[in-house]
Structure formats: structure tokens, C-alpha cells
Amino acid sequence: MIILENNNFAFVLNNHFIVRHCTARDGSDTPVDFRCGKGLRKWCRFFYLEKGKIEFVSHTGKIVNISDNDILFLPYDIEYYSSWKNQENGYYFSVEFILENENGNIINLCDDITYLFRDNGYFKKMFYDMAKTVSDGTLGFHLRCQEQFMQLLYHIAMGVKGRNTAHHEIQSAIELIEGDFGKEININELAKLCHISPATFRRRFLDYANMPPIKYRNMLRLNKARELLATGTYTVGQVAEIVGINDICYFSKIYKKQFGVNPSSKI
């Protein structure tokens, strides 16, 4: 068995892979030390610490400390030691998975225990929903769990990518806009999500997209609209509604401004 190592978040964003196993759970622990031996955890993990403080020490001697709302990655079948650092009960979510490339080799997203980032409220619901799906165990929960895991993996990989770019400060807002451009934009809420002022958010976003957030959102909508109209399956009114623009006159106006033709024109 070959294990791909180093930082493979870029790999899963750009290549085909197989999810051989995924599940999730939540738990509450009293302050206790734990040693994970070889063969005890034969899967990778995203670990979300909702409450508490934990120190992880890997077999390589690497030390990682996490606290409330931190997200950690633990590699496949790793030996480590963990210790809760406060005297109160802690609460966490654990998503366990195995990824393989097309040759059947296991993909380790990082080659050692790795702190990913602190959640600002965006990821908690994804961890919670996945753990609830597994605990409920209703018909088709395995498929639902895998669907939720793919969404979580995508957003974590994009978050890691954003953290390593010049625009990491507004990455959460970028993902929110690009992930659901049909929704209306509230600049104050997006700025709050990024823990910066609205004025700073506008400057950072202009630097990222060379246009204001609303214009960028409209560009995404119009590109999708053009794609849908090209299929010949939808009317102009239907497409406008799909991309989140209820005023068909306004939709036609900004569509023509963007592409130089009316949306009713043959593409």
C-alpha cells in the first residue's frame, strides 16, 4: 500500500479520487490523556474542537495545540499522544475518512498532524450535520454522509488554499459568494464573517476581483445564465429566476451590458 503525503489539498481539488470510507461522530470528553498506537486509527480525520483545549504530539515530535473552534487534520494510521489542557469537559466532532487515487493509493492530505484554521462559524454546521446523519442512521444515510463529506472536503480544501494566498483574510466570504451566488449579498454580514470592517472588506475584495462584491456576484450569475440559455432548455424568465434575479427587465439589461446581446438572442 502506497500513501501519498505532503500537502495534497491541491490534489483533491484538481484530480479524480475515490472516497473509500467516511463517517462522523461527536463526543464530550473529560480531561484525560490518550495515546493512539499504530493500527488503532486506520483512517484520516478532520477534528473540530468546539469546546476545550487539547495538545497533540505526533510520533515525529511535532506539537500542535488547539482550542475552541479550531480544525485539525490527523493523517492515516498515525501514532500520537493527546492531552486535554483544561479541567472542564470538552466537546468535539470527528470526521473519519479514507481517500484513494485512481491507482488505489491512499491520499494523506498532510504528512503529519496539521492545524488547518479556526472556524468563524461557517464549518461547524457541516460537522454537526454529518455527525447527525450518521447517528440517525436513516435509510440512505451512507450516501447522504458521503455527499456531506464531499461538501466539507471541498470547503476545507478551498479554505487551506485561501489561507495560502494573499486573499486569505476574505476567503470565507469568497467561498460564500462563489458557492451560492443566487443569494443576496449583505456587505456588513460578509465583513463580520471575515472579522474586518465593511470598508476594509470592500478594499480587500476589490483587490481580489477587481470589482465590487455585488458586481462580482452578478458576473457569476450572468455567466451561469449564459450557460443555461445555451442549452435551449429554459426560457429567459426561467433562467433569470434560477440565477436569483426576479426582475426580468433588470436581468435583460445587465445581461446585454455584460455580453452585448439580449438574453433572448440565439447563442
Side-chain angles (χ1 to χ4, degrees):
M1 175 181 62
I2 300 174
I3 300 179
L4 304 182
E5 297 188 340
N6 301 313
N7 187 331
N8 278 309
F9 284 100
F11 178 89
V12 298
L13 284 172
N14 294 289
N15 296 275
H16 293 293
F17 62 89
I18 299 164
V19 180
R20 184 156 66 84
H21 163 81
C22 71
T23 189
R25 58 189 173 89
D26 58 351
S28 178
D29 278 352
T30 54
V32 64
D33 296 342
F34 175 74
R35 184 174 296 278
C36 179
K38 192 72 173 174
L40 189 59
R41 297 283 191 272
K42 285 198 171 183
W43 48 72
C44 300
R45 279 202 292 166
F46 290 134
F47 188 89
Y48 186 114
L49 184 59
E50 181 180 3
K51 177 185 176 183
K53 295 181 180 179
I54 307 179
E55 180 179 88
F56 287 85
V57 182
S58 78
H59 67 288
T60 64
K62 181 179 181 180
I63 299 174
V64 180
N65 286 280
I66 61 172
S67 57
D68 297 1
N69 303 313
D70 282 337
I71 302 176
L72 187 77
F73 173 75
L74 292 98
Y76 179 90
D77 195 19
I78 190 175
E79 296 182 64
Y80 67 88
Y81 169 83
S82 65
S83 176
W84 289 80
K85 291 304 187 182
N86 54 358
Q87 297 304 309
E88 299 178 357
N89 287 358
Y91 197 83
Y92 65 89
F93 297 95
S94 178
V95 170
E96 301 154 4
F97 58 94
I98 299 174
L99 305 180
E100 293 181 349
N101 66 9
E102 292 179 307
N103 297 320
N105 300 323
I106 291 176
I107 302 170
N108 248 346
L109 297 174
C110 301
D111 60 4
D112 205 342
I113 295 176
T114 302
Y115 173 80
L116 298 180
F117 42 76
R118 175 161 293 177
D119 181 30
N120 52 21
Y122 185 70
F123 287 90
K124 179 180 175 180
K125 187 176 187 303
M126 285 188 271
F127 278 87
Y128 171 84
D129 287 346
M130 197 172 164
K132 189 175 187 304
T133 294
V134 174
S135 64
D136 288 348
T138 54
L139 181 65
F141 82 92
H142 289 294
L143 289 172
R144 178 61 177 151
C145 181
Q146 187 164 116
E147 176 190 23
Q148 291 170 323
F149 169 72
M150 293 296 284
Q151 180 185 26
L152 176 65
L153 178 61
Y154 167 77
H155 286 288
I156 287 181
M158 289 296 290
V160 171
K161 176 177 176 288
R163 188 190 64 184
N164 295 325
T165 71
H167 310 292
H168 65 90
E169 193 175 18
I170 61 168
Q171 185 65 28
S172 298
I174 293 170
E175 290 180 21
L176 198 62
I177 294 170
E178 294 179 345
D180 192 357
F181 50 76
K183 287 186 177 180
E184 293 304 315
I185 286 178
N186 184 304
I187 300 300
N188 291 336
E189 289 181 3
L190 291 175
K192 185 178 180 180
L193 180 68
C194 300
H195 304 288
I196 55 179
S197 70
T200 300
F201 175 78
R202 287 188 176 93
R203 288 197 302 270
R204 298 284 188 274
F205 198 93
L206 190 62
D207 181 58
Y208 166 74
N210 293 317
M211 63 183 74
I214 291 177
K215 186 174 181 181
Y216 182 72
R217 187 274 318 273
N218 284 344
M219 181 193 71
L220 296 175
R221 285 177 167 181
L222 293 172
N223 287 340
K224 183 63 177 179
R226 191 181 196 187
E227 177 185 321
L228 292 172
L229 288 169
T231 67
T233 305
Y234 306 94
T235 65
V236 172
Q238 288 172 328
V239 168
E241 185 177 353
I242 289 171
V243 299
I245 302 175
N246 296 322
D247 186 336
I248 192 169
C249 293
Y250 174 69
F251 170 75
S252 298
K253 178 181 177 181
I254 62 174
Y255 187 96
K256 185 174 182 179
K257 184 177 180 180
Q258 176 77 12
F259 300 117
V261 295
N262 291 317
S264 57
S265 300
K266 295 294 183 182
I267 298 175

